[in-house]
């Protein structure tokens, strides 16, 4: 073009503006005489006539209009420089040639105008003024004109000359395209390949200008790329005999290939990927109705070429992102993150397609390892997009690709995907070697961002992907201990990764083999030191941005050894508790039950272990290493035993009765209990608790054999595992009842239930009848057995097992109790009036039984009869009251709580007869009743007040006087109890409180300001909270005379009270008062329609 500039002269280009060129282009696009605003007409002759008339009109303008002279000179100069033939019999090609010439004129003019543009210096007085616009800038209307011209050029000069299967046929796009396909004359010179080559070459020349290039590639990149593919890569049928017969020279084909690669590198990469996928086409389509037109499949050479080009796009920097965006944006989601992005991210089919593409190693790659080395970092980057919708798409694709690669090539995936993701956790594991430079205290091993990103990535891959592949599970298993330590740390504060850690741990424990899962849980609890865990030098710390980081611990000074030891013990205890919380979510899968059984077996192993032999065995060795190992063994043994006991206690507390999910676990539980009983007998450590535990275990077996569940033959085979243990019990246990029951159970199991003795049925029925109506049996039995157990390991093990047996009953709400307990043989579903005198006498006798469970069960039975208003029981109210009051003195919580419940229920039936005596007993001094008894009576009075409800106003005077006198008692616990009961009473009196409100207020003010005990002051302030909460909006009426005094008291407590709990109660009371006054001053507006009848 340099020659063109020299021949044309600068004056021509100065006078030939953009407007004249665009006017010429509009003239070519004018509809002519069709009377329509579009050339998309269906008649071929009309289309040809219109094209001819527009070409003639353009030539007339060039010849007759002097204003068009400069443009004509420029066009002629460019035409002379052009290398293609412009005169042709085919009017469509003549039209295309003229249009291409005008586009070249437009490009050259825009370049010249940009070169000559010299904007002046901006005026500093008006800095807000917009800078001068470059003269080569196209307006919106001019851009639309150019876009229309480009559409005509592509439709007439590119699409008709594409081979079948190359690109999308123009006839399938618009009706006008079908017309153009029929009017193009392919037989006229120049040939079709030459026309295609000329159109693509000129368009690429025009596209060198940035503004015009964006207009061309934005809409027509696919057609131009299809043309270049055909020109450069389409195989020729035969070699031409002479150069004249050659349609395109080899140099032109090479230029086409180079141009294709250049524009692929130049354009937006997702656009290139999408267009290449379209060119590559899909699988062959079949037509079933015979009417639908089926597009030709892309030829084999084009499919191979597109696959090669796509692989090159993928291997480029950020190629993975380009491929993902190209497929997702081409799948109907618009730009990534657009309105349909969420729906696209939820489409697993598209994600699977991308995953298969990314997981397949292309042929251009030297080896799969080289491919994975280049691609895997880009796949991991897909997890970390900040935009929510874009990140949602990319994360779904990354997760699916991660799993696909792990499935196809697990070793490479472990090396290039899993190792980078898990590197922060491996860095702080006790199996990792910490370098000396990182041993400095305070050194940050894992930053906050690294740890958060690691946990989030693991969650997306493992939990969201939910594919338990072997390589995934095996890679995460070594750092599971570090992950659990992180989970325990997050439980101490608010952290956004706590739920992620919990979900990952639960997923892994559920997918692991049961044996490996139990081993991992042992490592979490500290029972198995071989399981990898957090490095001893590392610890977690809160970071500045609200996250967590891992640092090297500070060195411990000699003065801080006690504090460090306390922190270590406290940390271990917290870990056991957090492990219990974690296992509470694993009950349905059976893992919690299996681990609980493992703990029971450890207790049995502890029972048979001879500690005395280890301690008294003489040790003779001159080696310091052996001596140190011996001392370590002596320390680790008791430490492990205490840890097992603590773990068992936590599991007993946290697990529900549905901990066992199958009969195998139940049998294992019973077997562990029987083994521990036999071990205790061997060591002559048999006790009451042991006898009761054994009875309950055998009662559980009797329940299963008695018809509580329908047993199958395979389940009887599992029960046969108990036969040797039952035989041992029947031969060695001293109690003849237990021996007989063991023999009968062996017979029933051996005969698969065909023969069952009466003893088995009685034991099963007795077990099922022991039902706790309030669901508190577990806690109370545990406390009662603690009273009867000593500090030895054997007894403590038996207590934990006994508590657990209550939790693991086959029948919900039916805890197991010893078979030999003589409770009245009644069922819980008896109707009122169905008890007999013999049953009542049996219950009364059992209420004096020395065995705690028997006595407590009898008291509960009597309470239930009172609640059901059994006439025979109510006739003996005085005797029942005497029984309950006597058992009120018992020290075991299981007994006295049952007695409290009985007295409260009896007082609800006969309050006039029983309430005065209770008030006198509560108001008596220390010389009459102990403090513990008075406190228990206070609990009874509180339950009576709650049970009476609105009827409590009848007994207002004696109750208030008793509680006010109790507020002046010398004992602080009794004062606090009286105030607590006073609060419960005032909460229910409402307007009946009016006459004594001054006395109550004076008492509360005096106690809150002058009492020396913090718990009494707390109770006084809490009374105000209950009073305001109970009265609610009535407080302004009931307390109108003392409301100001109460407000001043609360403000005094908030300002001057040293106790934080009392301050908290006062703050709560002020909030209640604030809410009451707001509603009083600003009542809610109600839209009501009133109808009034006028007189």
């Amino acid at each position: 073009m340099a020659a063109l500039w020299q021949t044309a002269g600068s004056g021509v280009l100065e006078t030939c503006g953009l407007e004249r060129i665009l006017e010429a282009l509009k003239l070519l696009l004018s509809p002519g005489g069709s009377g329509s605003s579009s050339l998309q007409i269906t008649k071929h002759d009309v289309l040809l006539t219109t094209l001819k008339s527009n070409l003639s009109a353009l030539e007339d303008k060039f010849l007759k209009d002097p204003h068009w002279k400069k443009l004509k000179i420029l066009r002629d100069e460019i035409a002379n420089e052009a290398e293609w033939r412009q005169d042709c019999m085919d009017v469509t090609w003549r039209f295309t040639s003229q249009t291409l010439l005008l586009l070249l004129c437009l490009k050259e003019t825009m370049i010249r105008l940009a070169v000559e543009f010299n904007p002046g210096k901006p005026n500093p007085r008006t800095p807000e003024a917009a800078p001068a616009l470059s003269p080569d800038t196209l307006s919106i209307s001019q851009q639309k004109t150019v876009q229309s011209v480009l559409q005509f050029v592509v439709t007439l000069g590119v699409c008709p000359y594409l081979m079948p299967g190359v690109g999308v046929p123009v006839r399938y796009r618009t009706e006008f395209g079908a017309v153009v396909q029929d009017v193009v004359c392919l037989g006229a010179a120049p040939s079709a390949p030459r026309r295609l080559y000329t159109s693509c070459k000129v368009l690429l020349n025009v596209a060198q200008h940035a503004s015009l290039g964006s207009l061309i590639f934005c809409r027509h990149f696919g057609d131009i790329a299809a043309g270049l593919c055909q020109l450069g890569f389409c195989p020729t049928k035969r070699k031409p005999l002479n150069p004249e017969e050659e349609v395109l020279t080899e140099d032109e084909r090479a230029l086409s290939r180079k141009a294709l690669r250049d524009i692929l590198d130049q354009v937006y990469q997702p656009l290139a990927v999408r267009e290449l996928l379209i060119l590559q086409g899909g699988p062959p389509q079949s037509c079933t109705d015979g009417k639908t037109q089926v597009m030709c499949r892309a030829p084999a050479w084009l499919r191979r070429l597109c696959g090669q080009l796509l692989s090159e796009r993928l291997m480029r920097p950020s190629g993975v992102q380009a491929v993902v965006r190209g497929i997702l944006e081409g799948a109907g989601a618009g730009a990534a993150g657009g309105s349909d992005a969420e729906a696209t991210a939820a489409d697993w089919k598209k994600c699977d397609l991308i995953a298969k593409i990314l997981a397949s190693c292309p042929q251009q790659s030297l080896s799969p390892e080289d491919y994975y080395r280049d691609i895997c970092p880009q796949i991991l980057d897909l997890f970390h997009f900040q935009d929510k919708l874009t990140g949602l798409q990319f994360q779904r694709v990354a997760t699916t690709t991660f799993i696909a690669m792990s499935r196809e090539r697990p070793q490479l995936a472990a090396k290039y995907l899993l190792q980078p993701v898990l590197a922060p956790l491996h860095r702080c594991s006790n199996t990792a070697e910490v370098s000396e430079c990182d041993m400095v205290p305070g050194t940050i091993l894992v930053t906050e961002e690294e740890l958060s990103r690691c946990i989030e990535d693991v969650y997306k891959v493992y939990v969201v992907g939910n594919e338990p592949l072997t390589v995934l599970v095996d890679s995460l298993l070594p750092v599971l201990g570090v992950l659990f330590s992180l989970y325990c740390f997050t439980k101490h504060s608010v952290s956004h990764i706590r739920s992620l850690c919990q979900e990952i741990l639960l997923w892994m424990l559920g997918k692991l083999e049961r044996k490996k899962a139990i081993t991992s849980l042992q490592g979490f609890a500290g029972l198995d030191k071989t399981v990898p865990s957090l490095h001893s030098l590392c610890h977690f710390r809160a970071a500045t941005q609200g996250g967590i980081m891992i640092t090297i611990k500070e060195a411990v000074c000699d003065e801080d050894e006690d504090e460090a030891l306390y922190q270590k013990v406290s940390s271990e205890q917290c870990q056991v508790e957090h492990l219990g919380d974690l296992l509470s979510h694993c009950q349905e899968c059976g893992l919690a039950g299996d681990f609980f059984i493992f703990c029971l077996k450890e207790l049995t192993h502890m029972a048979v272990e001879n500690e005395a032999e280890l301690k008294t065995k003489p040790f003779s060795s001159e080696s310091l290493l052996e001596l140190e190992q011996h001392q370590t063994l002596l320390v680790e043994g008791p430490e492990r035993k205490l840890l097992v006991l603590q773990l068992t206690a936590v599991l007993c507390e946290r697990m529900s009765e549905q901990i066992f999910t199958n009969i195998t676990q139940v049998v294992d539980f019973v077997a562990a209990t029987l083994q521990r009983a036999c071990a205790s007998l061997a060591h002559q450590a048999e006790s009451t608790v042991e006898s009761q535990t054994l009875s309950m275990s055998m009662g559980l077996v009797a329940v299963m054999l008695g018809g509580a569940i329908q047993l199958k033959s395979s389940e009887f085979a599992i029960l046969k595992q108990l036969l040797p243990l039952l035989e041992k019990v029947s031969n060695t246990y001293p109690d003849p009842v237990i021996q007989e029951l063991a023999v009968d159970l062996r017979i029933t199991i051996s005969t698969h239930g065909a023969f069952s003795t009466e003893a088995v049925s009685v034991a099963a029925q007795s077990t099922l009848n022991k039902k706790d109506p309030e669901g508190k049996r577990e806690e109370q039995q545990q406390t009662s057995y603690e009273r009867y157990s000593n500090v030895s390991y054997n007894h403590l093990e038996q207590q934990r097992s006994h508590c657990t047996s209550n939790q693991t009953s086959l029948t919900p709400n039916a805890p197991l109790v010893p078979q030999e307990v003589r409770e009245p043989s009644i069922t819980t579903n008896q109707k009122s009036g169905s008890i007999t005198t013999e049953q009542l006498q049996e219950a009364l006798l059992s209420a004096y039984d020395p065995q705690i469970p028997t006595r407590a069960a009898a008291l509960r039975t009597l309470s239930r009869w009172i609640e059901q208003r059994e006439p025979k029981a109510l006739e003996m109210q005085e005797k029942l009251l005497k029984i309950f009051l006597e058992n009120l003195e018992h020290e075991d919580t299981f007994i006295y709580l049952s007695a409290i419940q009985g007295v409260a229920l009896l007082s609800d039936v006969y309050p006039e007869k029983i309430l005065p005596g209770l008030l006198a007993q509560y108001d008596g001094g220390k010389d009459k009743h102990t403090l513990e008894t008075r406190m228990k009576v206070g609990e009874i009075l509180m339950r009576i007040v709650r049970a009476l409800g609105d009827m409590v106003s009848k007994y207002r005077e004696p109750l208030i006087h008793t509680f006010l006198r109790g507020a002046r008692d010398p004992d602080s616990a009794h004062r606090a109890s009286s105030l607590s009961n006073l609060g419960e009473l005032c909460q229910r009196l409402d307007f009946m409180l009016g006459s004594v409100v001054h006395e109550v207020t004076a008492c509360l003010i005096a106690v809150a300001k002058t009492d020396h005990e913090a718990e009494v002051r707390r109770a006084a302030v809490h009374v105000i909270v209950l009073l305001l909460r109970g009265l609610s909006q009535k407080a302004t009426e009931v307390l109108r005379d003392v409301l100001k005094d109460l407000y001043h008291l609360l403000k005094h407590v908030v300002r001057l009270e040293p106790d934080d709990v009392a301050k908290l109660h006062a703050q709560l009371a002020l909030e209640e008062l604030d809410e009451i006054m707001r509603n009083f001053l600003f009542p809610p507006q109600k839209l009501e329609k009133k109808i009034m009848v006028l007189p």
Side-chain angles (χ1 to χ4, degrees):
M1 287 297 172
L4 174 63
W5 288 109
Q6 294 174 1
T7 57
S10 60
V12 172
L13 294 176
E14 288 176 358
T15 55
C16 181
L18 295 180
E19 293 78 6
R20 190 70 63 204
I21 301 175
L22 292 171
E23 186 180 353
L25 292 174
K26 288 183 179 180
L27 182 59
L28 284 178
L29 299 183
S30 60
S34 63
S36 173
S37 61
S38 174
L39 288 180
Q40 296 184 8
I41 54 180
T42 59
K43 295 182 180 181
H44 300 170
D45 54 350
V46 176
L47 175 59
L48 294 174
T49 303
T50 303
L51 294 178
K52 291 178 182 178
S53 63
N54 290 346
L55 289 172
S56 300
L58 180 63
E59 291 298 329
D60 291 341
K61 279 286 187 180
F62 281 141
L63 294 175
K64 298 178 181 179
D65 194 339
H67 297 94
W68 288 59
K69 182 178 179 180
K70 302 303 180 182
L71 177 58
K72 181 179 182 303
I73 295 174
L74 178 60
R75 187 200 65 166
D76 294 341
E77 292 293 338
I78 293 177
N80 294 333
E81 295 288 335
E83 300 177 354
W84 77 87
R85 182 176 177 181
Q86 298 153 24
D87 56 336
C88 179
M89 298 298 295
D90 186 5
V91 65
T92 59
W93 179 245
R94 293 206 312 272
F95 181 86
T96 303
S97 298
Q98 292 301 319
T99 308
L100 292 174
L101 289 175
L102 290 177
L103 286 175
L104 287 173
C105 293
L106 178 64
K107 175 207 168 187
E108 297 299 335
T109 303
M110 293 175 67
I111 293 176
R112 182 64 179 178
L113 291 174
V115 171
E116 295 179 349
F117 176 61
N118 186 18
K121 294 182 180 181
N123 188 357
R125 297 181 179 180
T126 58
E128 69 279 0
L133 194 63
S134 176
D136 66 334
T137 305
L138 297 176
S139 65
I140 295 178
S141 61
Q142 291 173 343
Q143 290 182 16
K144 290 182 178 180
T145 301
V146 175
Q147 288 175 352
S148 300
V149 171
L150 292 173
Q151 185 176 359
F152 267 90
V153 171
V154 172
T155 305
L156 296 174
V158 177
C159 295
Y161 311 116
L162 295 177
M163 298 173 57
V166 179
V168 181
V170 68
R171 66 173 67 253
Y172 295 117
R173 303 185 190 181
T174 61
E175 186 179 357
F176 175 67
V179 175
V180 170
Q181 191 73 30
D182 294 334
V183 301
V184 172
C185 182
L186 299 178
S191 61
R194 179 60 59 183
R195 296 184 187 183
L196 178 61
Y197 177 79
T198 300
S199 299
C200 292
K201 182 179 179 181
V202 174
L203 286 175
L204 292 178
N205 189 359
V206 175
Q208 292 177 1
H209 192 281
S211 300
L212 298 177
S214 62
L215 296 177
I216 293 174
F217 291 139
C218 181
R219 297 192 177 185
H220 307 292
F221 175 79
D223 293 322
I224 297 176
L228 293 176
C229 288
Q230 178 176 321
L231 293 171
F233 296 93
C234 177
T236 56
K237 296 183 179 179
R238 62 180 179 84
K239 188 174 182 180
L241 299 177
N242 49 62
E244 289 77 11
E245 296 181 1
E246 188 175 13
V247 179
L248 292 178
T249 64
E250 189 59 34
D251 292 339
E252 291 173 336
R253 291 171 60 88
L255 288 175
S256 300
R257 290 192 290 268
K258 183 178 183 302
L260 175 63
R261 297 187 182 278
D262 289 342
I263 63 172
L264 286 175
D265 295 339
Q266 177 183 352
V267 300
Y268 178 56
Q269 290 302 297
L271 174 62
V273 171
R274 184 174 72 234
E275 295 299 337
L276 287 175
L277 288 173
I278 295 175
L279 281 178
Q280 192 176 28
Q285 300 179 2
S286 60
C287 181
T288 57
D289 55 5
K291 299 180 180 180
T292 305
Q293 294 180 341
V294 180
M295 295 175 56
C296 295
R297 190 186 184 194
W301 64 266
L302 182 58
R303 295 197 302 271
R304 291 192 298 269
L305 173 62
C306 292
Q308 179 182 355
L309 295 176
L310 284 171
S311 299
E312 293 177 1
R313 300 302 100 197
L314 178 62
M315 299 297 292
R316 288 167 55 89
S318 302
V320 172
Q321 185 183 148
V323 171
V324 174
R325 286 183 180 272
I327 297 177
L328 292 180
E329 292 176 4
S339 58
D340 298 330
E342 190 170 355
T344 303
D347 191 347
W348 279 99
K349 293 183 179 180
K350 299 182 181 67
C351 298
D352 290 339
L353 172 63
I354 301 175
K356 290 179 181 178
I357 294 175
L358 297 179
S360 301
C361 179
Q363 297 179 355
Q364 289 78 9
S365 181
L366 297 177
S367 66
E369 185 167 2
D370 293 336
Y371 174 71
Y372 272 63
R373 187 188 301 113
D374 296 336
I375 294 300
C376 289
Q378 299 186 43
I379 294 175
L380 296 180
D381 290 339
L382 296 179
F383 284 119
H384 308 137
F385 278 85
Q386 299 299 323
D387 183 75
K388 289 186 178 180
L389 291 178
T390 304
L392 183 62
Q393 293 180 16
F394 288 178
Q395 289 168 17
R396 182 66 56 84
V397 172
T399 299
T400 312
T401 307
F402 206 113
I403 294 172
M405 287 185 161
S406 301
R407 185 184 295 111
E408 292 190 9
R409 298 185 182 273
Q411 294 181 351
L412 295 179
K415 182 177 181 180
Y416 294 108
L417 285 176
L418 289 167
Q419 285 186 7
V421 169
L422 300 175
L425 298 179
H426 280 291
R427 206 179 305 160
C428 57
S429 175
N430 59 359
T431 58
E433 295 182 1
V434 182
S435 60
E436 294 184 1
C437 60
D438 293 334
M439 295 285 288
V440 180
T443 302
I444 300 177
L445 282 183
V446 181
T447 62
E448 174 185 7
E449 182 181 1
E450 286 180 324
L451 188 59
S452 299
R453 177 173 292 187
C454 171
I455 299 302
E456 291 172 359
D457 291 350
V458 171
Y459 175 82
K460 294 167 187 174
V461 173
Y462 286 82
V463 181
V464 177
N466 195 22
E467 284 286 341
L469 301 177
T470 304
V471 63
L472 296 180
V473 175
D474 292 344
S475 298
L476 188 59
L477 188 59
V479 295
L480 212 57
V482 179
L483 199 61
F484 177 74
S485 300
L486 176 61
Y487 167 73
C488 295
F489 182 81
T490 59
K491 296 282 284 187
H492 296 292
S493 62
V494 178
S495 176
H496 69 284
I497 64 175
R498 180 197 304 170
S499 59
L500 302 183
C501 294
Q502 178 176 320
E503 292 295 330
I504 295 170
L505 290 170
L506 292 177
W507 186 90
M508 273 294 292
L509 293 175
K511 302 302 180 182
L512 280 173
E513 298 177 4
R514 191 51 51 93
K515 185 177 180 181
K516 291 184 178 180
I518 296 297
T519 303
S520 299
L521 292 175
Q522 295 180 51
F524 295 167
L527 297 176
D528 191 348
K529 302 298 183 181
T530 62
V531 177
S533 59
L534 185 68
H535 200 285
S536 58
L537 297 177
C538 302
H539 71 147
F540 298 100
R541 285 181 54 189
T544 56
Q545 301 298 324
I548 300 171
M549 59 183 178
I550 303 177
T551 62
I552 299 296
K553 290 182 179 179
E554 300 288 342
V556 180
C557 303
D558 295 338
E559 296 80 5
D560 298 336
E561 288 184 355
D562 293 340
E563 179 67 21
L565 180 61
Y566 170 77
Q567 293 292 340
K568 179 178 180 296
V569 175
S570 176
S571 175
E572 292 176 352
Q573 182 178 0
C574 291
Q575 282 192 351
V576 172
E577 294 178 355
H578 299 328
L579 180 59
D581 293 336
L582 193 66
L583 284 174
S584 64
H585 300 282
C586 301
Q587 298 187 70
E588 294 183 0
C589 65
L591 178 60
D594 289 339
F595 187 66
F596 183 67
I597 293 171
F598 162 78
C599 294
L600 294 182
K601 291 179 180 179
E602 285 293 311
L603 290 177
T604 304
H605 177 69
M606 290 165 50
V608 300
E609 193 177 55
N610 191 352
E611 301 178 1
E613 180 180 358
L614 182 62
K615 293 182 179 180
T616 59
K617 182 179 178 180
F619 180 79
S620 60
S621 177
E622 298 180 358
S623 172
L624 292 178
L625 178 61
E626 294 180 359
L627 178 61
E628 183 180 358
Q629 292 176 350
H630 178 72
Q631 295 296 331
T632 303
L633 184 62
L634 290 178
V635 173
E636 289 181 352
E639 182 181 356
R640 177 182 176 85
K641 294 175 182 178
L642 291 174
L643 191 57
V644 172
L645 289 173
Q646 182 185 7
L647 186 59
T648 308
V650 170
L651 292 178
C652 291
E653 179 182 356
R654 304 294 173 85
M655 299 299 110
S656 66
E657 63 273 7
Q658 285 85 22
I659 184 173
F660 295 148
T661 58
N662 53 64
I663 193 172
T664 303
Q665 291 183 333
V666 177
V667 172
D668 291 340
F669 165 72
V670 175
T673 306
L674 295 178
Q675 288 174 355
R676 189 164 63 258
C678 295
S680 299
L681 289 175
H683 289 75
Q684 298 180 354
E686 193 268 335
S687 64
T688 303
V689 175
E690 188 62 46
S691 175
Q692 294 169 352
T693 305
L694 184 59
S695 300
M696 285 187 295
S697 300
M698 297 175 68
L700 176 58
V701 180
V703 168
M704 291 189 292
L705 296 174
I709 57 176
Q710 194 69 26
L711 296 174
K712 303 176 183 178
S713 299
S714 59
E715 294 171 340
F716 274 105
I718 299 174
L719 284 171
K720 287 183 179 180
Q721 301 175 10
L722 303 176
L723 293 180
L725 295 172
L726 290 173
E727 182 179 5
K728 188 173 182 180
V729 170
S730 63
N731 294 331
T732 59
Y733 204 79
D735 191 344
V737 177
I738 298 294
Q739 290 182 357
E740 181 182 359
L741 182 58
V743 172
D744 294 340
L745 291 175
R746 288 183 62 243
I747 295 174
T748 306
I749 294 174
S750 300
T751 59
H752 286 206
F755 177 80
S756 179
T757 62
E758 185 179 357
V760 175
S761 302
V762 172
Q765 187 64 33
S766 177
T767 300
L768 292 175
N769 285 343
K770 307 305 190 271
K771 183 174 181 179
D772 181 8
E774 291 188 4
K776 298 182 180 178
R777 186 184 189 91
E778 171 193 334
E779 177 185 354
Q780 296 169 356
Q781 282 190 350
Q782 178 180 355
T783 307
S784 65
Y785 296 150
E786 287 174 355
R787 304 288 186 182
Y788 286 87
S789 61
N790 54 32
V791 294
S792 67
Y793 285 131
N794 292 328
H795 288 188
L796 199 52
E797 297 161 11
Q798 297 159 4
Q799 173 199 350
R800 301 304 183 190
S801 174
H802 173 65
C803 298
T804 309
S805 64
N806 288 336
Q807 292 178 321
T808 56
S809 173
L810 287 176
T811 306
N813 297 325
L816 300 175
V817 296
Q819 183 268 343
E820 71 273 12
V821 173
R822 301 187 310 274
E823 184 186 354
S825 57
I826 62 170
T827 58
T828 59
N829 57 355
Q830 280 182 321
K831 298 181 180 179
S832 178
S834 61
I835 67 171
T836 62
T837 305
E838 291 77 8
Q839 291 174 337
L840 181 59
Q841 292 298 328
E842 184 181 357
L844 294 176
L845 291 175
S846 299
Y848 292 97
D849 195 283
Q851 289 194 3
I852 293 175
T854 303
R855 180 185 296 192
L859 294 175
R860 291 298 178 114
T861 302
L862 294 173
S863 300
R864 185 169 62 252
W865 287 341
I866 296 173
E867 187 177 12
Q868 295 174 353
R869 302 297 197 269
E870 291 287 349
K872 293 185 181 298
L874 296 179
E875 290 175 359
M876 307 179 68
Q877 54 171 307
E878 295 181 357
K879 188 171 185 179
L880 292 178
L881 179 61
K882 180 181 178 182
I883 292 174
F884 287 137
L885 292 178
E886 289 177 355
N887 283 282
L888 201 63
E889 304 286 345
H890 201 283
E891 63 179 3
D892 191 90
T893 56
F894 199 11
I895 300 298
Y896 72 71
L897 285 177
S898 301
I900 287 174
Q901 180 190 9
V903 176
L905 292 173
L906 200 60
S907 301
D908 188 29
V909 181
Y910 301 106
E912 299 88 351
K913 299 180 180 179
I914 298 176
L915 192 58
L918 293 175
L919 291 175
Q921 190 173 355
Y922 184 70
D923 201 18
K926 291 185 178 179
D927 53 344
K928 296 182 180 180
H929 302 284
T930 62
L931 176 62
E932 289 79 6
T933 303
R934 298 172 68 192
M935 298 296 290
K936 295 172 185 177
V937 175
E939 174 69 18
I940 296 174
L941 292 175
M942 184 183 68
R943 296 193 181 194
I944 293 174
V945 169
R946 291 177 178 175
L948 289 175
D950 295 336
M951 294 297 296
V952 76
S953 59
K954 180 178 179 181
Y955 310 99
R956 182 193 66 168
E957 298 298 332
L959 286 171
I960 283 186
H961 293 163
T962 301
F963 295 151
L964 289 178
R965 285 194 299 269
R968 301 196 305 269
D969 194 89
D971 188 82
S972 60
H974 188 74
R975 296 200 302 273
S977 173
S978 300
L979 290 172
S980 178
N981 288 337
L982 180 63
E984 291 289 339
L985 178 62
C986 294
Q987 193 176 11
R988 287 163 175 80
L989 284 178
D990 287 347
F991 289 99
M992 295 298 296
L993 185 64
S995 58
V996 294
V997 66
H998 292 281
E999 290 84 348
V1000 173
T1001 304
C1003 175
L1004 295 178
I1005 294 175
V1007 172
K1009 288 185 177 181
T1010 61
D1011 201 289
H1012 300 290
E1013 298 294 333
E1015 61 179 2
V1016 181
R1017 299 196 301 273
R1018 296 174 190 172
V1021 179
H1022 187 59
V1023 172
I1024 302 176
V1025 176
L1026 294 177
L1027 187 60
L1028 295 175
R1029 191 173 296 166
L1031 293 175
S1032 186
Q1033 299 304 317
K1034 307 173 189 174
T1036 54
E1037 301 179 39
V1038 178
L1039 304 177
R1040 62 178 180 271
D1041 297 333
V1042 297
L1043 202 57
K1044 184 177 179 181
D1045 298 334
L1046 292 178
Y1047 175 74
H1048 289 165
L1049 172 63
L1050 294 175
K1051 298 297 288 186
H1052 169 81
V1053 173
V1054 170
R1055 289 195 305 267
L1056 303 178
E1057 173 61 46
D1059 184 62
D1060 292 336
V1061 178
K1063 284 185 178 180
L1064 177 61
H1065 287 316
Q1067 189 63 40
L1068 293 175
L1070 286 173
E1071 292 177 1
E1072 293 285 344
L1073 185 58
D1074 179 70
E1075 183 67 22
I1076 292 172
M1077 296 310 298
R1078 284 179 182 273
N1079 293 332
F1080 176 74
L1081 296 175
F1082 309 102
Q1085 299 295 326
K1086 296 182 180 179
L1087 298 177
E1088 297 179 345
K1089 182 180 293 186
K1090 295 183 179 181
I1091 300 176
M1092 301 180 63
V1093 180
L1094 299 176

